[in-house]
Amino acid sequence: ALLDDEHGRHWELAPEAHADETTRRKQMYVADTNVLYTRFNTDQGRSKQVDVMAVEDAPQRVVRVVDGIRGTVAYRMRCAPRFDYARAKHRVEARGRNEVIFIPEQGTPLRLRASVPLEIVGSDVQASFKVSAGESASFVLEEDGDERSDELGGQRTIEQAVAYWRRLLARSTYRGRWREMVHRSTLLLKLLTCNEHGPIIAAPTFGLPEVDGGAIATGTTATPGSVTRASRSTR
């Protein structure tokens, strides 16, 4: 969606936005890891969200977990995958109330599982739910052909990822004043590195403007949240 607000893929998970309500967000990484932590404060309550990618030999999957901390927070989820750079169409099949399969014309299907009911809307899937203090909701997006994990809560995946990233940094011998920045750069470079063969991706930000409204590769300009049609042809 950052590249193309009309046709770009996205997976939205956030508190419901209301005109008369203020939502404050703070994001950080769990210390010495690439596990993303987001804290939401709304007029109705407080919640936290953890986003993590499975690592090492685990099947490829993204796990997202929402936990209620105080009060009650209404959430929305919308999963809108696109295949072959949004050129291939796909259909969605329900496997019960809490599981769907995204099946493309070509390529590997994706499976979305959740601890809350899912609703198919066209070629996308959405959910509306609430979390109160002590309650949680979990989502797992994975390749349909991979080994299926029976664990939906995501705690095992989170723990494995935290241990993996911290083992990586434990090998660092740098002890200078820039240790935190060196370690964060190491974690980022590892994210951009092919696990199987070792090369680093050449241009992770190719096609993105440096600032909102700045010039992009085609010489057109991008407005915040959108990209001009001329640039979309370069997908």
Side-chain angles (χ1 to χ4, degrees), residues 11-23:
W11 187 7
E12 179 185 25
L13 179 60
E16 289 276 8
H18 299 285
D20 58 345
E21 188 175 21
T22 302
T23 299

Side-chain angles (χ1 to χ4, degrees), residues 154-187:
Q155 190 59 38
R156 186 183 313 156
T157 300
I158 294 172
E159 291 173 354
Q160 289 174 343
V162 168
Y164 171 83
W165 294 117
R166 288 179 176 172
R167 283 199 306 272
L168 174 70
L169 290 187
R171 296 157 54 188
S172 171
T173 59
Y174 180 76
R175 297 294 182 269
R177 62 181 295 192
W178 309 110
R179 183 172 182 270
E180 182 178 349
M181 283 180 277
V182 169
H183 281 186
R184 177 50 53 192
S185 297
T186 300
L187 292 169

Side-chain angles (χ1 to χ4, degrees), residues 30 35 50-52 63 65 151 153-163:
V30 175
V35 177
V50 176
D51 295 323
V52 59
V63 175
V65 180
E151 182 222 9
Q155 190 59 38
R156 186 183 313 156
T157 300
I158 294 172
E159 291 173 354
Q160 289 174 343
V162 168

Side-chain angles (χ1 to χ4, degrees), residues 11 55 59 77 79 98 122 144 161 179 199 218:
W11 187 7
V55 293
M77 187 283 303
C79 186
N98 301 80
D144 189 37
R179 183 172 182 270
T218 58

Side-chain angles (χ1 to χ4, degrees), residues 98-137:
N98 301 80
E99 181 177 330
V100 298
I101 307 293
F102 298 96
I103 305 174
E105 295 175 329
Q106 57 185 12
T108 303
L110 294 176
R111 176 173 57 234
L112 175 65
R113 294 184 290 136
S115 61
V116 299
L118 300 173
E119 178 187 2
I120 298 175
V121 181
S123 60
D124 304 331
V125 173
Q126 66 181 26
S128 296
F129 60 96
K130 295 180 179 180
V131 289
S132 300
E135 298 178 344
S136 64

Side-chain angles (χ1 to χ4, degrees), residues 33-222:
T33 77
N34 279 316
V35 177
L36 182 63
Y37 175 98
T38 307
R39 184 174 63 198
F40 291 102
N41 289 312
T42 73
D43 296 340
Q44 304 303 316
R46 179 183 298 172
S47 63
K48 69 175 182 179
Q49 181 175 317
V50 176
D51 295 323
V52 59
M53 293 183 292
V55 293
E56 293 190 285
D57 296 328
Q60 295 187 57
R61 61 172 57 99
V62 177
V63 175
R64 313 187 75 177
V65 180
V66 176
D67 291 307
I69 299 175
R70 177 178 55 81
T72 299
V73 182
Y75 265 80
R76 67 181 183 276
M77 187 283 303
R78 187 176 186 90
C79 186
R82 298 294 180 262
F83 297 86
D84 191 24
Y85 299 93
R87 293 177 296 193
K89 295 181 180 180
H90 69 274
R91 70 181 193 276
V92 187
E93 291 185 1
R95 304 281 175 87
R97 298 180 63 202
N98 301 80
E99 181 177 330
V100 298
I101 307 293
F102 298 96
I103 305 174
E105 295 175 329
Q106 57 185 12
T108 303
L110 294 176
R111 176 173 57 234
L112 175 65
R113 294 184 290 136
S115 61
V116 299
L118 300 173
E119 178 187 2
I120 298 175
V121 181
S123 60
D124 304 331
V125 173
Q126 66 181 26
S128 296
F129 60 96
K130 295 180 179 180
V131 289
S132 300
E135 298 178 344
S136 64
S138 303
F139 301 86
V140 177
L141 184 66
E142 56 198 343
E143 291 188 348
D144 189 37
D146 276 343
E147 173 189 350
R148 179 188 177 123
S149 169
D150 293 330
E151 182 222 9
L152 183 56
Q155 190 59 38
R156 186 183 313 156
T157 300
I158 294 172
E159 291 173 354
Q160 289 174 343
V162 168
Y164 171 83
W165 294 117
R166 288 179 176 172
R167 283 199 306 272
L168 174 70
L169 290 187
R171 296 157 54 188
S172 171
T173 59
Y174 180 76
R175 297 294 182 269
R177 62 181 295 192
W178 309 110
R179 183 172 182 270
E180 182 178 349
M181 283 180 277
V182 169
H183 281 186
R184 177 50 53 192
S185 297
T186 300
L187 292 169
L188 176 58
L189 288 172
K190 184 62 175 177
L191 279 180
L192 301 176
T193 302
C194 174
N195 191 52
E196 182 178 0
H197 302 291
I200 297 176
I201 189 171
T205 58
F206 176 77
L208 290 177
E210 293 187 8
V211 296
D212 279 347
I216 56 179
T218 58
T220 58
T221 58

